[in-house]
Amino acid sequence: MEDERTADLIRAQLRRQRALAGWNQEELGRRTNYSASTISAVETGTRAMDLPFATRADEVLETGGLFVSLLGMAARNRQPSWFKPWLEAERFAQQLRYFNPTLVPGLLQTANYARAVLRFDDTRPEDEVEEQVGFRMERQEILTKARPPQVVAVIDESALRRRDAIMGEQLAHLLKMAELPHIHVHVIPADAGLHVGLSGPLALARSADGNWVGHLENQLAGLVVDGEDGMATLLARWEIVRGVALPQALSVALVKEVESQHGPQ
């Protein structure tokens, strides 16, 4: 029911914003490079709004990211119950810690990289992929708000050396994020050998009251950890993982070296 209300809101807002601009469907289509029939299909619900459409509509209608945010809202409503407590912890955190031995963490992913990751599940419908991409982009808005959290991300070098075509763009984005004073990117070099982080990814969030919440993922689901003993273990493992990684300057230099192998962007 909640999903239906959000979908209705998206359609109503598209009609409203178009009317405020004084355009018919054909004019909006011309300005967004979509056909009038596509605009009609989105407004009537026979076609779901995807992220490229939402992004272009926001740009043309100058909505300040309204449609991308609405897509994120729709995706948030679809999130499994085990993930929602982590989303709340992440949204209001003052400090965030991410480690992944195989992928770039979600908050630092480009839309194309996120899209490729979400397509790992080859049974996921394309409109759901786009909805989830939009949601991931919306989650990243905490990185650019007035008082953003401090973010420390540790990434294994192997995750950076994937030869996919999207990696050049992703590495350039990672370097751009690392320029922000509150985002710290560290890379575990390939010659680091075995370490506890190879057991799997972990994420940690510290709230304003000083409490930590952890999140662990596996192939089927995820687990939010907030008990004292569990958090003590995760914090200890984080310190080990962080200790294995290169300092920021050397990490950035390594990312630049890997990016250079993909040619100019």
Side-chain angles (χ1 to χ4, degrees):
M1 192 67 176
E2 192 171 24
D3 287 349
E4 292 178 10
R5 286 199 297 267
T6 304
D8 288 342
L9 178 60
I10 290 173
R11 293 192 290 270
Q13 281 298 322
L14 182 59
R15 292 190 295 268
R16 179 176 183 273
Q17 294 298 325
R18 176 174 60 76
L20 287 173
W23 301 335
N24 58 24
Q25 291 177 343
E26 184 175 353
E27 179 63 14
L28 178 58
R30 184 182 70 80
R31 291 173 180 264
T32 57
N33 298 319
Y34 285 95
S35 66
S37 61
T38 297
I39 302 298
S40 175
V42 174
E43 289 189 354
T44 58
T46 57
R47 168 179 166 161
M49 181 181 290
D50 58 19
L51 182 60
F53 186 103
T55 302
R56 186 62 182 148
D58 280 332
E59 291 173 354
V60 169
L61 293 167
E62 299 181 350
T63 62
L66 171 66
F67 293 113
V68 171
S69 294
L70 288 174
L71 276 188
M73 182 189 302
R76 188 183 305 111
N77 293 337
R78 292 178 184 269
Q79 298 307 307
S81 58
W82 53 261
F83 194 41
K84 290 181 178 180
W86 169 253
L87 292 176
E88 288 301 301
E90 182 182 71
R91 177 177 294 186
F92 297 107
Q94 289 193 341
Q95 296 179 356
L96 289 165
R97 306 286 184 259
Y98 297 98
F99 166 70
N100 199 307
T102 56
L103 296 170
V104 174
L107 282 195
L108 300 178
Q109 293 177 1
T110 65
N112 283 330
Y113 187 99
R115 189 173 288 111
V117 171
L118 289 163
R119 284 175 177 156
F120 289 169
D121 179 359
D122 58 9
T123 65
R124 194 191 300 264
E126 191 61 24
D127 59 345
E128 185 179 326
V129 169
E130 291 301 324
E131 181 183 82
Q132 294 299 324
V133 171
F135 178 50
R136 191 159 299 184
M137 297 303 100
E138 186 202 28
R139 283 171 60 196
Q140 295 178 4
E141 292 177 5
I142 65 172
L143 301 178
T144 54
K145 65 182 182 179
R147 295 185 66 86
Q150 179 202 61
V151 178
V152 181
V154 175
I155 309 168
D156 196 273
E157 181 180 348
S158 63
L160 305 178
R161 292 193 178 276
R162 308 295 182 196
R163 299 308 302 171
D164 302 77
I166 59 172
M167 284 307 300
E169 176 192 47
Q170 176 59 65
L171 292 168
H173 178 71
L174 192 60
L175 289 169
K176 182 179 178 181
M177 291 294 99
E179 293 175 356
L180 299 175
H182 58 285
I183 297 180
H184 309 271
V185 174
H186 299 272
V187 178
I188 296 180
D191 60 4
L194 297 175
H195 57 84
V196 70
L198 296 175
S199 298
L202 65 90
L204 304 168
R206 184 179 184 272
S207 63
D209 59 13
N211 291 326
W212 285 93
V213 174
H215 184 250
L216 306 173
E217 290 188 18
N218 59 44
Q219 289 278 354
L220 297 178
L223 173 67
V224 173
V225 179
D226 56 9
E228 184 175 345
D229 291 344
M231 280 310 309
T233 298
L234 291 184
L235 286 167
R237 293 192 174 189
W238 165 262
E239 290 301 323
I240 295 172
V241 166
R242 173 63 189 83
V244 175
L246 296 171
Q248 170 98 348
L250 292 178
S251 295
V252 168
L254 178 55
V255 177
K256 288 181 177 178
E257 183 266 322
V258 178
E259 184 204 18
S260 70
Q261 298 173 10
H262 289 270
Q265 298 304 305

